[in-house]
Amino acid sequence: FNPFIVDLSDEAHEALLRRGLGHCRQTPGDDASTLGHLAALAVHLEKMGKSAEARAFAEEHGQLAARIAARKQAEQPPEEQDKV
């Protein structure tokens, strides 16, 4: 085993992104990292020609982003909500 040999293949990068996304999903309150991994995985899968999978992750990204925005809006004081 040589720890200095790194697999730079698209498949290895996909696996890394999937592991990272799995970790982010299990970490409460880590929405920014989850959004980042969803976006990166969607772009990477699209680049690999896996459009259906990419679309699913992009949709999940959009849904999570909307939930985060709604939560932030609800957390604002009423006088601040009127400004938005």
Side-chain angles (χ1 to χ4, degrees):
F1 174 74
N2 186 341
F4 298 105
I5 297 175
V6 177
D7 185 353
L8 299 175
S9 69
D10 285 339
E11 292 78 14
H13 188 67
E14 177 185 348
L16 178 68
L17 289 170
R18 287 182 186 273
R19 280 194 307 272
L21 178 59
H23 175 74
C24 292
R25 285 178 169 161
Q26 294 176 350
T27 306
D30 196 10
D31 293 332
S33 291
T34 302
L35 282 175
H37 276 82
L38 285 168
L41 192 50
V43 169
H44 185 70
L45 289 171
E46 186 68 40
K47 177 184 148 217
M48 290 179 63
K50 298 180 178 182
S51 297
E53 278 187 90
R55 190 169 29 262
F57 284 110
E59 288 172 4
E60 185 179 349
H61 177 275
Q63 292 167 356
L64 179 58
R67 284 196 309 268
I68 292 168
R71 186 172 55 230
K72 285 184 179 182
Q73 179 73 16
E75 291 172 354
Q76 289 182 351
E79 60 274 2
E80 291 293 322
Q81 290 179 7
D82 293 338
K83 294 178 182 177
V84 177

